[in-house]
Amino acid sequence: MPAHMLGRTALPLFVACAVVAFGASDTRADETCQSPYMPKITGEEEFVYVWTLGIKGLGDGFDKVVTIDVRKDSPTFGKVVDVDSVGGRHEAHHGGFTDDRRHFWVAGLSDSKIFIFDVATDPSNPKLVKTIDDFTEKSGGIVGPHGAYALPGRVMISGLSNTARDGRTGLVEYSNEGEYIATHWMPTAESTQGAEVEKIADGYGYDARVLPRKNVMLTSSFTGFDNYMRPLGELVQDAEAMKRFGQTMVLWDFHARKPKKVFHVPGVPLEVRWAWGPHNNYAFTSTALTSKLWLVYEDAGTWKAKEVADIGDPSKLPLPVDISLSADDRMLFVDTFMDGMTRVFDVSDPHKPKQIYEKKIGSQVNMVSQSWDGRRVYFTSSLLANWDKTGSDDEQFLKAYHWTGSELTPRFEIDFRAEKLGRPHLMRFGSASLYTN
Amino acid sequence: MYRHALRAGLLIASLAWAPGMVAAHDGHAHGSPQPAPSTGYAYPLARPGTYALPAIKRAAGGSVLDEQGHRRDLADILRGRITVLAFIYTRCGDVCPTASMQLAALRDIAGRDLRGADRLQLISMSFDPDHDTPTVMAEHARQWRDGGRGPRWLFVTAPDRERLAPILSAYGQSVMPQPGPPGGPNLLAHILRVFLVDRSGMVRNIYSIDFLDPQLVLNDVRTLLLQEGRSPAPEARLR
């Protein structure tokens, strides 16, 4: 680099600024399952936003964002402090913040509506500011908007299906203002889009996560509308339908938005969690139907995928759902829906995970979110309206715990049925400190 | 595809990158000081023209002051050139100098390698009008721009906060006061955003510090130039 590019005073200035910034760094806390493009919360999280699926006849019966106060000195600690119904039931599922963390996007899998909440004006009281109701039309036929993943000035939404309801899907980009930008279809056998295919390119989608420093995005795969909206008990009896589940993960050139490699990961790989360490070029996922932990990793410049551990007893179909990797990349929480368990794996050696702890959270459990310092962990119960258990096993809760490093100890819990709220699913953390400093 | 070089400047950036700097702004902080990224921007890049840069939104205008203190409309400055627009402030303690260094590198590479470099411009716009007067911006420009060669690089600021606010809002650039070091001035917390704007005034890419790689941005510029070569000039399409 020519010397003039730094300017005559630039380098000393640059180093000096870095020192100042270093000194200003302090304790930070945040859930670990977020986009790396977002700012982090300083101190403990203050609120947990829960995207909740309405239950007919329970309260207003509508999908809603439920805000829970988790400020430890607050008189309303552990209580619901705000409820924002969006009207109707939309199969509330996932969502996420924009990169400036000012807006919370949540989506419905059944009618493909996306609801955008302002969480910056008053973090204790989110407000619905926009509804996107033409997602399918704008995207060219994608249905089932799933995650909302922050990119600079944009949101990446992974779809689950299409208007044919068979599961071929893609990624859809919107501006932070809620305007459609582009659709990127998943590679299929008919259209691999130039990607190297290990065994099959099935076109299903689920999660999408980016490792910026490697310019790679990793996507996973689930199933189509006809399957995810169908009662689980009925679905598992349909052998043909059970063949229509994802068995691939796709590695993308993120900048170009082009698929590079389609890994064969049988058994429905769901959540993708990149490691955080600056030298840790790998991601974990769990496969729902085969109950395995998989590792996608870079090996001498080549990206590979391999299974690295069983989750519980795969023969009993515990159905791994959400996973959460600690900020230091040493602990991986794995929730299994059917037995209501969370299991903690020591993944210090990502190639050889070892289970070190397990605890039954409830009759069913789905999502898990942990704070950045790893000391607080939150669980919710619902998977999908038609897949949740029935009768007394259909517990609906948020449970909060302390994690000591070796044990979960209770902090508080909220019974979403008793509170007439519905089925709690995705959790995201909020704090006024993000907007006031 | 090819593997581009890890530049000396990026090594410097990596050193400074490590602990709190990205923490405050770009979401790569992970609670405690971390070693520098292992590879910087050393990843393969797609060839220019082999990928799409769909329009994201219209790039807003607004009243700004140039280095001579002349009032201009940002939209007028943007018109007719491909622009790389960075929002910065001169007292920034972390990512702004990194961004300026990357823009300087981009300018240098473009000056040497880009056919049609006169169709590209760089703009650094301050969001700190209380401090960053045209005089301050001119001095800042002297540090970063003067002595180099390449496409024009303008340093502008807003006349005041009132006129700044709608510009920041239109670009989605949030800025918040943040206490500085004891006895020192307050700082401004922000997420670094740099915008690639085409000649018709549409935002075509938005870069965080992760992707403010001069070679990557130049590939995007080349992609826009290639698209322009295959279609009528953007100005003509607008009529």
Side-chain angles (χ1 to χ4, degrees), chain A residues 7-8 17 22 99 258 434, chain B residues 19 50 93 105 142-143 176 193:
Chain A
R8 281 183 287 276
C17 290
F22 183 88
D99 69 324
K258 289 187 179 300
L434 285 164
Chain B
T50 64
R142 189 185 67 77
Q143 295 174 357
M176 294 179 299
R193 281 185 177 165

Side-chain angles (χ1 to χ4, degrees), chain A residues 277-336:
Chain A
H279 302 279
N280 293 348
N281 299 326
Y282 55 84
F284 288 103
T285 192
S286 61
T287 51
L289 298 183
T290 47
S291 205
K292 306 279 188 186
L293 275 180
W294 278 74
L295 184 72
V296 178
Y297 63 105
E298 189 183 40
D299 181 14
T302 301
W303 289 92
K304 301 176 179 176
K306 68 176 182 183
E307 61 178 72
V308 288
D310 286 345
I311 301 165
D313 180 352
S315 69
K316 295 180 179 175
L317 286 176
L319 202 65
V321 274
D322 198 15
I323 59 176
S324 177
L325 182 63
S326 62
D328 62 6
D329 296 336
R330 296 175 65 86
M331 302 278 184
L332 184 73
F333 283 79
V334 181
D335 282 4
T336 45

Side-chain angles (χ1 to χ4, degrees), chain A residues 90 107-114 132-136 142-145 228:
Chain A
H90 313 273
L109 296 180
S110 59
D111 59 8
S112 299
K113 287 189 176 180
I114 298 169
I132 296 172
D133 56 12
D134 58 357
F135 173 84
T136 298
I142 290 179
V143 306
Y228 71 69

Side-chain angles (χ1 to χ4, degrees), chain B residues 190-207:
Chain B
H190 65 109
I191 295 174
L192 180 75
R193 281 185 177 165
V194 177
F195 296 83
L196 176 67
V197 183
D198 68 19
R199 294 204 294 159
S200 71
M202 297 303 294
V203 174
R204 302 294 291 273
N205 210 344
I206 305 172
Y207 309 100

Side-chain angles (χ1 to χ4, degrees), chain B residues 104-175:
Chain B
L106 169 65
R107 181 171 181 248
D108 182 73
I109 300 169
R112 286 186 283 109
D113 299 343
L114 180 65
R115 186 179 300 171
D118 59 338
R119 287 190 278 172
L120 172 67
Q121 66 180 345
L122 284 58
I123 301 176
S124 293
M125 175 160 178
S126 172
F127 45 73
D128 185 15
D130 294 348
H131 179 269
D132 290 343
T133 62
T135 303
V136 171
M137 293 304 285
E139 171 60 19
H140 200 62
R142 189 185 67 77
Q143 295 174 357
W144 287 104
R145 177 189 62 201
D146 295 353
R149 291 191 302 174
R152 79 175 188 182
W153 187 357
L154 307 178
F155 287 73
V156 301
T157 190
D160 49 49
R161 292 190 197 183
E162 287 69 33
R163 288 174 179 82
L164 173 66
I167 298 176
L168 296 185
S169 176
Y171 283 91
Q173 178 70 64
S174 62
V175 176

Side-chain angles (χ1 to χ4, degrees), chain A residues 154-167:
Chain A
R154 283 161 285 183
V155 174
M156 178 76 86
I157 297 169
S158 47
L160 291 190
S161 195
N162 59 59
T163 49
R165 300 184 171 192
D166 60 13

Side-chain angles (χ1 to χ4, degrees), chain A residues 4-9 14 17 22 36-38 99 154 176-177 213 215 255 258 276 278-279 372 434-435 437, chain B residues 19 26-27 30-31 38 43 50 57 92-93 97-98 101 104-105 108 142-143 148 176 191 193 205-206 211 220:
Chain A
H4 78 261
M5 289 167 52
L6 291 174
R8 281 183 287 276
T9 60
F14 191 69
C17 290
F22 183 88
Y37 294 103
M38 294 192 326
D99 69 324
R154 283 161 285 183
N176 277 7
E177 291 76 20
R213 69 171 179 276
N215 184 35
H255 171 243
K258 289 187 179 300
W276 289 96
H279 302 279
W372 189 260
L434 285 164
Y435 317 108
N437 270 322
Chain B
D26 218 52
H30 305 136
S38 58
Y43 44 72
T50 64
K57 61 182 177 181
C92 180
T98 308
M101 189 173 68
D108 182 73
R142 189 185 67 77
Q143 295 174 357
M176 294 179 299
I191 295 174
R193 281 185 177 165
N205 210 344
I206 305 172
F211 286 96
D220 285 357

